[in-house]
Amino acid sequence: FTLGLRTGLIVACLIPAAMLMSLMIMGFLNIGLDQISLAALIIALGMLVDNGIVMSESIMVQMSGGKSAKDAAIDSAMELRLPLLIASLTTAAAFLPIYLAESAVGEYTASLFKVVSITLLSSWILSITVIPLLCVKFLRVKPKSAKDRFGSSFYTFYRNALISGLKNPYISIAIVAIVFILAVYSFRFVPSIFFPPNDRPTFTIDLSMPTGTPIKRTEAVTIEVENYIKDNFEINEERKEGVINWAAFVGQGAPRFILSYGPEPPSPDYAFIIVNTTSREIIDGIIPQIEKFCLDTFPDLKPTIRPLEVGPPAWPPIEVRISGRDTDKIFDIVNEVKAKLAVIPGTKLIDDDWGARSKKFLVNINQPRALRAGVTSQDIAVSLQTYLSGMDTTEFREEDKLIPVTMRSVASDRDNISKLESLNVFVQSSGRSLPLKQVADIEVAWQPGKIVRRDRLRTVTVEAALDPGFTAAEVNAQLIPWLEKEQEIWGLGYYWELGGETESADKGNQSIADKLPIAAMIILLLLVGQFNSIKKPIIILITIPLGLIGVVIGLLITDLYFGFMTLLGIISLSGIVINNAIVLLDRIDIEINENGLEPARAIVVSAVRRFRPIILTTVTTVSGLLPLWIGGGPMWEPMSVAIIFGLLFATMLTLGVVPVLYSLFYRVSFRDFKY
């Protein structure tokens, strides 16, 4: 609509052509279509049109200036081939840290870089070949004077505002700096979530019984939970909303049905249920009821019920690891941490990873009595093993199979621990037997179900889940100051560290941050190579953070959160902002070096000439991201909002800040300038 029907259709042809070319290359490189690669295609959808808009608009402007279609196409292609390539490469380089990140989230989102890079380079190839060809063939432009081309009210308003800012550069920069500082300060009001719950109508149930529970008991508990789901939530003729179906796995986790699911190792005390419902909205009402049933019916059961995760797993969301050497001292601290978590709003299912303590029978051998009776510790150990577990005495051969013959007591005696004291110990040296009670004392002790070490120290992880509407960041904000204060009285050798969602977020974000210098260096080298200058790349790099102003405003307006995908949106936003600045600065060079304009006039003329293509590329990028905002779900919504609002504000600021910075860096005075 803004370029005219013919030019608009020519630019629109770039979309299916670039997409088909990208899909073809993805096929050659074995890059599949999945949630990440499809979203990357949508992200690139708005960007790939930029090259076509800039190229066709340049051809159209040159034709309106009196050039023939062929000359205008050749001159525009020669003029823009390198700037558009550098712009595409810098945008792709902004996604490079995602691909290089050495973390689970890096692996999860790696195809973003590959697909965006393929799509942008495909767009560049078509923009310098097919677009000029179509423009020569179909474009019809009547020659116009510069006044007619850039004399509309939009251009007049922008030009007057720009000249006003150029005449007061320090005031303009100060205003932008103040707005940027306010935006950074406002970041504290944006909630932080690493990855949101999935929007699929599916949730999972992890059932953990005490360590050592027989698999038959685990199966019986699982069946009762299934029956409760069937009786209360399964859809039927009367109940239209509820559970559609489910699958249970006893003694092990399910096969890896989605990338973010990590199956638990086989264990007789573990069961897993995956449940499909009619809609995502009803899950938040079903989960508390199943939790209540499990806790009320089975006091020794630890149920973990949650919607499917949308990103790499970060469960449980709240984790505090307590490390030390003395188990009793550690558990004193653990109980304090559990009590503190219990009074923090939003926490539930507070537990630790060592599980409930189990009974242990200690056989304390009285060595003097055993020595007088001629009994060794080995005699006692062998007798106990034979009585309780059994001892292989020989093997029975049946064709090609060897069947062990095990000697042990009958099942009724093994299950009756009271008979243990009356066990006769066989003395191998003399061949006599004597009661175990005569040489040893038996006592019952409680011990942890398992012992977990971290860096060789005994470590208990206190875990907690969250109620709907609460975030890990909110809970940790209350928990961390308390832990720092309490550690002072724990004594030497006992310390804590956070795990869960906070640790996963820090690792994911840090894995990206570690690779950012590589992307920054590549972008800087590309810009220096393009402009053969240091000042112009610095001008471009200064404009990159301006997108944060729009990001914060967008997240606050839409009431969304800052998470890993939002971070990726900010990184990709920087590539798009660089694209606009390159096109503007390149035009200033052309006006000064080729058209012979004085620097002050060249800045204003270049900004006016690039006003429409920059605005159009922004609008098309924003339009391309609207489907991801509206229908992308909780995973892609914050990322698209970050790019959309960040780009809108960054574009407005780029059109004003870049010319002002250029005038300051190159000492171009506008004191007596008149257009």
Side-chain angles (χ1 to χ4, degrees), residues 514-643:
D514 290 342
K515 305 302 179 183
L516 279 177
I518 299 175
M521 182 58 66
I522 292 173
I523 292 172
L524 187 61
L525 290 174
L526 288 170
L527 294 176
V528 171
Q530 161 71 13
F531 295 110
N532 193 24
S533 165
I534 290 294
K535 291 182 179 179
K536 290 169 188 171
I538 292 175
I539 292 172
I540 294 174
L541 295 177
I542 290 174
T543 61
I544 292 176
L546 299 181
L548 287 176
I549 299 172
V551 172
V552 175
I553 293 173
L555 293 176
L556 291 175
I557 289 175
T558 57
D559 195 25
L560 289 173
Y561 61 90
F562 181 85
F564 184 78
M565 298 308 295
T566 320
L567 175 65
L568 297 192
I570 294 173
I571 293 171
S572 59
L573 172 65
S574 64
I576 307 171
V577 174
I578 290 172
N579 191 343
N580 292 336
I582 288 175
V583 173
L584 180 53
L585 289 176
D586 182 69
R587 188 68 218 179
I588 296 175
D589 281 351
I590 292 173
E591 295 294 346
I592 294 174
N593 299 326
E594 297 183 11
N595 297 340
L597 296 181
E598 60 179 15
R601 185 164 296 276
I603 292 173
V604 176
V605 169
S606 300
V608 171
R609 290 191 63 153
R610 287 289 182 244
F611 178 76
R612 181 164 67 173
I614 289 176
I615 291 295
L616 287 181
T617 55
T618 298
V619 172
T620 53
T621 303
V622 168
S623 302
L625 286 166
L626 285 177
L628 211 56
W629 179 9
I630 297 169
M635 179 175 181
W636 298 104
E637 191 178 359
M639 179 179 183
S640 56
V641 165
I643 299 177

Side-chain angles (χ1 to χ4, degrees), residues 504-518:
S504 300
D506 290 344
K507 285 183 177 179
N509 295 338
Q510 189 61 43
S511 68
I512 298 288
D514 290 342
K515 305 302 179 183
L516 279 177
I518 299 175

Side-chain angles (χ1 to χ4, degrees), residues 369-632:
R369 280 188 286 172
L371 187 63
R372 286 194 296 271
V375 180
T376 65
S377 297
Q378 183 181 9
D379 293 337
I380 297 173
V382 169
S383 298
L384 285 169
Q385 180 185 356
T386 305
Y387 181 81
L388 297 172
S389 305
M391 176 174 288
D392 293 346
T393 56
T394 184
E395 291 178 335
F396 175 74
R397 183 183 294 275
E398 185 176 282
E399 297 181 354
D400 60 340
K401 297 179 182 177
L402 291 176
I403 302 172
V405 177
T406 303
M407 177 177 67
R408 63 180 175 182
S409 62
V410 296
S412 58
D413 289 346
R414 293 198 305 273
D415 292 340
N416 190 350
I417 302 299
S418 62
K419 292 186 177 182
L420 190 62
E421 291 183 338
S422 62
L423 166 70
N424 283 326
V425 177
F426 178 74
V427 184
Q428 297 184 33
S429 59
S430 62
R432 296 182 298 106
S433 296
L434 73 161
L436 176 64
K437 183 66 175 174
Q438 183 175 327
V439 294
D441 298 317
I442 300 175
E443 65 173 297
V444 178
W446 292 91
Q447 68 172 9
K450 59 180 177 180
I451 297 175
V452 180
R453 286 180 172 84
R454 190 179 180 90
D455 295 334
R456 297 188 301 171
L457 284 176
R458 298 188 177 202
T459 302
V460 179
T461 302
V462 181
E463 306 169 346
L466 295 173
D467 289 322
F470 290 88
T471 65
E474 294 171 346
V475 173
N476 288 332
Q478 301 182 54
L479 183 62
I480 292 174
W482 180 85
L483 287 169
E484 291 173 344
K485 184 178 179 181
E486 288 295 312
Q487 189 178 7
E488 298 174 1
I489 61 175
W490 290 349
L492 292 175
Y494 298 90
Y495 62 93
W496 63 272
E497 62 179 357
L498 286 182
E501 187 175 305
T502 299
E503 183 181 54
S504 300
D506 290 344
K507 285 183 177 179
N509 295 338
Q510 189 61 43
S511 68
I512 298 288
D514 290 342
K515 305 302 179 183
L516 279 177
I518 299 175
M521 182 58 66
I522 292 173
I523 292 172
L524 187 61
L525 290 174
L526 288 170
L527 294 176
V528 171
Q530 161 71 13
F531 295 110
N532 193 24
S533 165
I534 290 294
K535 291 182 179 179
K536 290 169 188 171
I538 292 175
I539 292 172
I540 294 174
L541 295 177
I542 290 174
T543 61
I544 292 176
L546 299 181
L548 287 176
I549 299 172
V551 172
V552 175
I553 293 173
L555 293 176
L556 291 175
I557 289 175
T558 57
D559 195 25
L560 289 173
Y561 61 90
F562 181 85
F564 184 78
M565 298 308 295
T566 320
L567 175 65
L568 297 192
I570 294 173
I571 293 171
S572 59
L573 172 65
S574 64
I576 307 171
V577 174
I578 290 172
N579 191 343
N580 292 336
I582 288 175
V583 173
L584 180 53
L585 289 176
D586 182 69
R587 188 68 218 179
I588 296 175
D589 281 351
I590 292 173
E591 295 294 346
I592 294 174
N593 299 326
E594 297 183 11
N595 297 340
L597 296 181
E598 60 179 15
R601 185 164 296 276
I603 292 173
V604 176
V605 169
S606 300
V608 171
R609 290 191 63 153
R610 287 289 182 244
F611 178 76
R612 181 164 67 173
I614 289 176
I615 291 295
L616 287 181
T617 55
T618 298
V619 172
T620 53
T621 303
V622 168
S623 302
L625 286 166
L626 285 177
L628 211 56
W629 179 9
I630 297 169

